[in-house]
Amino acid sequence: MTIKIAIDGPAGAGKSTIAKKVARLLGFTYIDTGAMYRAITLKVLRENIPLSDKQKIIEIARKSDVFLEGEKVFLDGEDVSEEIRKPAVSEKVSIVSQIPEVRKILVNKQREIAKDKNVVMDGRDIGTVVFPEAQLKFFLTASLEERAKRRYEELRNKGTDVKYEKVLEEIKVRDDMDSKRKDSPLIIPENAIVIDTTHLTEEEVVKKVFEEIKKIVRGEI
Ligand code: CDP
């Protein structure tokens, strides 16, 4: 038996930071599913494919080699880990991720990567669609302002010139699209443990996650 830990939630709630840390501490594989949607979006933008051309986008998703190695993301062999985080990709990714065929291709890939492994996986539909049987499901959230602040600081620290208001707007639009799409919308999975991280430090969130892991180990859940 393998263990799957699902971490879902909206943009900037701290999912990837917490998922990476928990995976490292447990010796599990970390799988960043958002990075896969971002990599496909990057290729669509690079090839100047109109976002209204669903067939071309599906073709790109089918033909591309998206590969995760630790915390790095490779697109057709090229390390795109930095580039996929740029605002140009963030602004368009939710348009690409709402195409059902694109989701099907990537969800299959995600299941294949995680097969036979203990994983911590973060995304929007992990506990609901990718691994509904996950032993532990977390839903991380935080206020919109706090999430925008974190994302703004993250981008600034990387040297990206952005305005707070623009980041806030981008996150708001993306939240809306991700929550309202027909296929696999962002919702709180049944039985998920909801953690509001607005006033919590990274350490406090990791501690809460481990408290839940211990309950499972002790057979309390
Ligand atoms: O890091 P951030 O929270 O900004 O987003 P991400 O996890 O990198 O995901 C980027 C986008 O990919 C999301 O806004 C969703 O549109 C899409 N996504 C998805 O649809 N399903 C997933 N399992 C993961 C991401």
Side-chain angles (χ1 to χ4, degrees):
M1 189 190 83
T2 58
I3 298 169
K4 313 286 188 228
I5 299 180
I7 304 188
D8 290 302
K15 298 182 305 288
S16 65
T17 313
I18 301 304
K20 276 180 206 163
K21 206 154 200 181
V22 171
R24 222 175 290 145
L25 289 167
L26 291 171
F28 283 19
T29 301
Y30 165 59
I31 300 174
D32 179 354
T33 62
M36 300 172 83
Y37 291 94
R38 284 174 177 273
I40 299 299
T41 306
L42 175 65
K43 190 155 168 183
V44 167
L45 294 175
R46 279 181 176 178
E47 300 202 356
N48 285 317
I49 292 166
L51 290 160
S52 53
D53 194 343
K54 288 191 188 161
Q55 283 317 314
K56 280 253 168 60
I57 298 177
I58 296 165
E59 212 178 295
I60 294 264
R62 201 171 288 132
K63 285 193 191 148
S64 304
D65 176 27
V66 178
F67 181 76
L68 302 178
E69 195 179 79
E71 291 169 14
K72 290 213 171 296
V73 193
F74 292 85
L75 171 66
D76 301 325
E78 176 194 349
D79 183 353
V80 292
S81 316
E82 295 285 320
E83 210 176 336
I84 57 163
R85 306 279 160 214
K86 299 218 165 124
V89 174
S90 303
E91 276 165 26
K92 304 289 185 245
V93 62
S94 291
I95 301 171
V96 170
S97 74
Q98 64 182 352
I99 303 172
E101 291 85 349
V102 170
R103 304 203 64 81
K104 211 162 159 197
I105 294 163
L106 293 186
V107 167
N108 282 340
K109 225 170 244 183
Q110 289 155 16
R111 290 188 182 134
E112 184 60 32
I113 301 171
K115 189 179 76 179
D116 308 326
K117 285 196 187 89
N118 294 322
V119 298
V120 181
M121 211 165 192
D122 84 22
R124 302 289 186 288
D125 59 345
I126 311 306
T128 49
V129 175
V130 183
F131 284 116
E133 71 278 23
Q135 290 89 340
L136 259 176
K137 299 178 188 180
F138 292 96
F139 189 88
L140 297 194
T141 185
S143 72
L144 172 66
E145 291 72 20
E146 176 64 21
R147 292 187 288 116
K149 186 176 143 250
R150 289 179 193 166
R151 186 52 49 92
Y152 169 74
E153 281 167 3
E154 198 181 310
L155 287 165
R156 283 273 166 171
N157 286 339
K158 277 193 217 157
T160 312
D161 183 24
V162 281
K163 291 218 157 45
Y164 170 78
E165 290 72 22
K166 184 118 197 284
V167 175
L168 185 114
E169 187 56 26
E170 179 261 302
I171 286 189
K172 207 162 131 189
V173 171
R174 198 144 55 92
D175 277 359
D176 202 55
M177 289 186 76
D178 290 347
S179 314
K180 289 185 182 152
R181 70 180 174 221
K182 281 208 191 78
D183 185 3
S184 323
L186 169 69
I187 51 164
I188 303 177
E190 225 177 282
N191 307 325
I193 297 143
V194 180
I195 305 177
D196 184 339
T197 72
T198 309
H199 303 292
L200 298 178
T201 63
E202 200 180 302
E203 286 69 32
E204 286 167 332
V205 180
V206 172
K207 199 168 157 232
K208 273 185 185 282
V209 169
F210 269 88
E211 277 161 14
E212 298 298 332
I213 294 174
K214 278 187 211 145
K215 281 188 204 164
I216 288 254
V217 175
R218 288 196 219 107
E220 288 170 25
I221 295 180

